[in-house]
Amino acid sequence: MGTKDISILAIESSCDETSASIIVNGKVLNNIVATQSVHEKYGGVVPELASRAHQENLIPVVQEAILSSGVSKDQLSAVAFTRGPGLMGSLLVGVSFAKAFARSLEIPLIDVNHMQAHILAHFIEDPRPAFPFICLTVSGGHTQLVLVKSHLEMEVIGETQDDAVGEAFDKTAKLLGLPYPGGPLVDKYAKEGNPKAFKFPVTRMPGLNYSFSGIKTAVLYFLRDQLQTNPDFITENLRDLCASIQYTLVEMLLIKLKEAVKQYGVTEIAIAGGVSANSGLRNTLAELARRKGWNLYVPKFEYCTDNAAMIAMAAHYKYLKGEFVGLDVTPLAKMKL
């Protein structure tokens, strides 16, 4: 390592993954993630338990990131952390640690917007999208269409007005009696089902905005009516139900994406966020891109879910611009892109 190297430790603790990563001169060296299984029995993330698990996991995760990178803490140029959006208690653990660590080493602090980092996950490895590109960011808490003009200049051109698509997956999975997190299970069963077996309504919103709360209600009433005549309806039709729900949700995402491409004339298309790991979305989007002649960018699975490598990538570009924060920085549960 030379003296001019930009080496950053990045920390991600916005929800239920504790992660640390080291990046040197824009090259991610590692991505250490500790996943919390404590939430499964509760059917969702319990904020208080998440915070406690972060407190237990953070130091071992950071230590592993530093040791496996071969970069000593004295060689670090800055410490980066997720400032928001996320669960306040979880964010506090990461922010507090980052402040103390940066202070002890007398190096700068970099705050990162979690949603911006999801988009910048595309710059961890080749192929990287060219600017401007449109990114469809889909996760448990967010669904956004973003016009990305440069590494740090982004404009939200459409977003959900209620539930995020990840919530829609998890809530409908719950109605089907599937354990949490239900989204990946819907994906799994959908592979063996008929996507046209049942028709669910596609919610239309003005502009490029989304709404996903309607499908949950539609599925709820549909199942209620079917179960009255056949108590085994869900068990007998689980694969077709999953395939039909997934088909509808993917269709809703892509209708607006097509409109955005038309409106902005941009054909560099990226997807990001946890739901971009969904095979139904990946396959349908790949087929659409092929038909339309779009250049499509999909990150590796490990960079789709919450991870510190994407935080490190965002921090690298902020470091180059000298965008640092003071020790008075506070986490934000809600944070605009």
Side-chain angles (χ1 to χ4, degrees), residues 39 45-52 87 89-90:
H39 308 284
V45 176
V46 183
E48 178 59 29
L49 295 177
S51 313
R52 288 183 200 171
L87 301 172
S90 295

Side-chain angles (χ1 to χ4, degrees), residues 180 223 305 323 337:
Y180 176 86
L223 293 176
T305 48
E323 292 185 17
L337 189 59

Side-chain angles (χ1 to χ4, degrees), residues 159-163 203 205 209-215 252:
E159 61 189 325
T160 181
Q161 301 301 292
D162 42 58
D163 286 1
T203 313
M205 291 295 283
N209 288 329
Y210 293 101
S211 167
F212 293 103
S213 59
I215 188 164
M252 285 163 74

Side-chain angles (χ1 to χ4, degrees), residues 155-198:
E155 181 193 343
V156 178
I157 54 177
E159 61 189 325
T160 181
Q161 301 301 292
D162 42 58
D163 286 1
V165 70
E167 286 174 280
F169 269 110
D170 286 339
K171 286 175 179 176
T172 48
K174 200 171 185 177
L175 296 174
L176 297 173
L178 298 173
Y180 176 86
L185 290 170
V186 171
D187 188 14
K188 183 183 154 192
Y189 291 122
K191 287 174 186 166
E192 298 162 15
N194 172 12
K196 304 279 178 74
F198 307 106

